[in-house]
Amino acid sequence: MRRKDREITDRLKIESIIKNTHICSLGMNDDGEIYVIALNFGYKFDDEKLYLYFHSAKTGRKISIMTKSPKVGFEMHSNTSLMIGETACKYSYTYESVVGNGIINFINDDEKKAETLELIMRHETDKEFKFSSEMVQNVAVFELAVQNFSCKVHK
């Protein structure tokens, strides 16, 4: 990271940033063409390892790409605000961001899919939801096992 003065390494602060972020963009390689899509998500830390969770329709471009090439990049950011400067070059933005990459794993077990959907909804709404078998079977659910990430804040 070039701007070490903006790097965040404290796990609790990083988790706070992730908790307050509700859109995560995934970047994928579609046979040499980059495809980026913004998704809502859930997450968990297992010790120091970060996992991100997503759901979608069972078919479509992102599912096809991730099936062929499960290595993806991700980016999430929040708390953005324009910082006004005296000249154009003095303008900036405040932000909190987390970026990284990892491997996509599809979750096929219905019980695990339901737990994952509950995790996503709890992150998005702070509410508990239950999912019927039909609801679980009608969606694709996948996990991003994050291999590495960094966090940066500009206030």
Side-chain angles (χ1 to χ4, degrees):
M1 179 176 298
R2 184 180 66 83
R3 294 292 307 260
K4 290 287 189 189
D5 59 316
R6 296 182 182 170
E7 182 177 28
I8 302 296
T9 57
D10 178 79
R11 167 137 177 269
L12 292 176
K13 176 62 177 163
I14 293 167
E15 189 164 359
S16 173
I17 291 168
I18 294 170
K19 180 180 181 183
N20 292 308
T21 303
H22 294 280
I23 298 294
C24 180
S25 296
L26 297 182
M28 301 166 244
N29 183 346
D30 188 9
D31 295 323
E33 182 179 323
I34 302 305
Y35 180 67
V36 178
I37 189 160
L39 300 164
N40 61 350
F41 69 99
Y43 72 95
K44 76 174 180 181
F45 274 97
D46 188 4
D47 292 320
E48 293 301 312
K49 187 132 174 84
L50 174 61
Y51 296 90
L52 302 175
Y53 297 96
F54 308 90
H55 78 290
S56 76
K58 289 179 141 184
T59 60
R61 186 174 181 188
K62 74 178 161 298
I63 297 296
S64 296
I65 296 169
M66 291 185 302
T67 300
K68 289 185 299 185
S69 181
K71 186 160 187 150
V72 303
F74 74 91
E75 184 276 343
M76 61 181 78
H77 64 272
S78 63
N79 293 323
T80 61
S81 179
L82 180 64
M83 298 169 64
I84 297 173
E86 294 294 318
T87 65
C89 292
K90 296 294 182 183
Y91 274 72
S92 189
Y93 259 88
T94 63
Y95 61 84
E96 298 176 334
S97 68
V98 180
V99 298
N101 61 55
I103 303 293
I104 293 291
N105 300 299
F106 288 95
I107 299 171
N108 297 311
D109 176 76
D110 284 352
E111 187 175 317
K112 176 75 170 152
K113 282 174 74 172
E115 291 171 7
T116 302
L117 291 168
E118 291 169 17
L119 183 74
I120 293 168
M121 290 305 296
R122 191 168 38 257
H123 171 66
E124 293 299 326
T125 68
D126 275 336
K127 296 180 183 175
E128 299 291 325
F129 289 88
K130 295 296 178 200
F131 294 87
S132 69
S133 293
E134 182 180 2
M135 294 164 82
V136 169
Q137 292 169 5
N138 284 334
V139 296
V141 176
F142 47 99
E143 168 190 84
L144 173 56
V146 175
Q147 294 179 313
N148 61 65
F149 69 93
S150 61
C151 181
K152 194 163 135 178
V153 171
H154 182 211
K155 297 235 179 216

